[in-house]
């Protein structure tokens, strides 16, 4: 067994790799020990996943949508009272209506002496740091494909050694001066919910699909809170994806063809 990313012997690796971080609500989609070696697993957690989690817009989305980390904690969100008096809002896990607000002395004065009663919290925007996001996409794209081959030793070996995946593999591992381009667009609201067959409702923090275009290219489409991010497996270009969108009325790969009537896609 060799690692999907560094290609080193990974037979003694013991850590399970979460394809999507647990801090984005993933508790089930994992790769068995050895598919990604312990060293790469730890590296990606620190250098690729954490920078994405630390982005202001991702942090704000997790706060507003109440997505906790693996310890059950929702990240706090900095805001203001008045024009610039600082506050820090906290809320507890989903199902609890308890929260707290830490106020600066300036905010305390505005609230208790001047009648201020509105806390301004930032609204998440859809523009994320390009390099941080693209490295995260590169890592998840390869691991997502590996989930489909997890029970095929030959398939995993092919994915780890196939030269056409080396550029995106190296970009995930090391980055470069120029971000690997990706296409970003919103396909549904971040707080959109779906009604399942049993009448319950759910929100989707994440879902993904691998697209094989008529040009023979492979693209990975990942939606986080309804923001679709699409990257090319083989080359740093999205021209073929834009062409595919033009031919298919801007349909999302997540809800095109076989997926259109699948209510549990990505859950």
């Amino acid at each position: 067994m060799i690692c999907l990313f560094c290609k080193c012997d990974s037979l003694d690796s013991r850590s399970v790799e979460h394809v999507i971080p647990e801090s984005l609500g993933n508790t089930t989609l994992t790769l068995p020990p050895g598919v990604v070696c312990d060293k790469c697993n730890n590296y990606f957690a620190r250098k690729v996943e954490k920078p994405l989690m630390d982005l202001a817009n991702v942090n704000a989305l997790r706060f507003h949508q109440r997505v906790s980390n693996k310890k059950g904690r929702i990240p706090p969100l900095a805001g203001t009272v008045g024009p610039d008096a600082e506050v820090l809002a906290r809320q507890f896990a989903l199902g609890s209506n308890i929260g707290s607000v830490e106020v600066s002395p300036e905010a305390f004065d505005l609230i208790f002496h001047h009648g201020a009663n509105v806390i301004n919290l930032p609204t998440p925007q859809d523009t994320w740091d390009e390099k941080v996001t693209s490295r995260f996409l590169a890592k998840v794209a390869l691991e997502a494909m590996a989930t489909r081959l997890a029970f095929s030793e030959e398939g995993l070996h092919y994915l780890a050694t196939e030269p056409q995946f080396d550029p995106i593999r190296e970009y995930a591992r090391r980055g470069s001066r120029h971000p690997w381009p990706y296409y970003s667009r919103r396909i549904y609201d971040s707080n959109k919910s779906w009604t399942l067959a049993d009448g319950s409702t759910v929100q989707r923090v994440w879902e993904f699909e691998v697209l094989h275009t008529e040009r023979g290219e492979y693209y990975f489409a990942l939606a986080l809170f309804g923001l679709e991010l699409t990257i090319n497996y083989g080359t740093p270009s999205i021209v073929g994806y834009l062409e595919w969108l033009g031919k298919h009325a801007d349909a999302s790969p997540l809800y095109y063809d076989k997926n259109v009537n699948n209510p549990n896609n990505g859950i």
Side-chain angles (χ1 to χ4, degrees), residues 6-267:
C6 68
K7 303 185 183 182
C8 293
D9 187 300
S10 58
L11 189 61
D12 294 331
S13 293
R14 295 291 178 263
S15 56
V16 171
E17 169 69 355
H18 285 76
V19 177
I20 305 292
E22 292 177 272
S23 295
L24 287 175
N26 175 36
T27 59
T28 57
L29 188 66
T30 62
L31 289 169
V35 177
V36 178
C37 73
D38 291 342
K39 184 177 180 179
C40 285
N41 190 332
N42 292 330
Y43 173 82
F44 285 129
R46 292 181 292 107
K47 298 296 187 179
V48 176
E49 295 176 350
K50 187 178 184 300
L52 186 89
M53 297 298 103
D54 288 343
L55 292 180
N57 285 315
V58 175
N59 187 80
L61 278 167
R62 291 181 59 213
F63 177 88
H64 286 293
Q65 302 307 320
R66 306 186 75 176
V67 179
S68 61
N69 61 18
K70 60 184 177 182
K71 295 181 179 179
R73 298 171 183 167
I74 297 171
L77 188 61
T80 61
V81 171
D84 55 11
E86 297 179 353
V87 300
L88 186 67
R90 299 181 185 275
Q91 58 180 335
F92 299 101
L94 194 64
S96 169
N97 293 320
I98 301 173
S100 66
V101 178
E102 298 175 13
V103 299
S104 64
E106 295 79 9
F108 183 92
D109 182 64
L110 286 173
I111 293 169
F112 289 97
H113 297 126
H114 299 281
N117 58 8
V118 176
I119 297 175
N120 305 301
L121 296 175
T123 302
Q125 304 299 312
D126 288 346
T127 302
W128 298 2
D129 182 276
E130 187 177 0
K131 186 167 185 177
V132 169
T133 305
S134 63
R135 281 194 74 189
F136 176 80
L137 279 175
K139 173 260 184 193
V140 176
L142 285 170
E143 292 183 355
M145 188 172 284
T147 63
R148 303 186 174 191
L149 303 169
F151 298 102
S152 168
E153 186 175 329
E154 290 183 359
L156 287 173
H157 185 78
Y158 167 80
L159 187 60
T161 58
E162 172 55 40
Q164 69 174 315
F165 297 120
D166 284 346
I168 196 169
R169 190 186 338 267
E170 286 304 296
Y171 181 72
R173 291 184 67 215
R174 308 182 191 280
S176 67
R177 283 192 307 168
H178 304 290
W180 192 288
Y182 62 91
Y183 185 71
S184 173
R185 60 173 177 165
R186 180 156 293 281
I187 57 174
Y188 52 80
D189 292 338
S190 59
N191 61 353
K192 179 178 173 61
S193 61
W194 278 260
T195 300
L196 301 182
D198 62 3
S200 62
T201 60
V202 296
Q203 283 183 259
R204 292 175 178 167
V205 178
W206 56 270
E207 55 183 326
F208 63 77
E209 185 57 82
V210 176
L211 171 69
H212 187 208
T213 70
E214 294 88 341
R215 290 177 56 167
E217 293 181 317
Y218 283 91
Y219 289 87
F220 176 70
L222 170 69
L224 295 176
F225 302 100
L227 183 66
E228 183 190 88
L229 308 163
T230 304
I231 194 169
N232 190 333
Y233 274 100
T235 185
S237 171
I238 57 170
V239 172
Y241 183 63
L242 296 177
E243 179 183 285
W244 185 89
L245 289 176
K247 290 181 178 179
H248 298 87
D250 286 333
S252 170
L254 296 161
Y255 296 95
Y256 179 75
D257 196 19
K258 67 181 184 300
N259 296 319
V260 72
N261 294 316
N262 181 4
N264 294 314
N265 180 45
I267 297 177

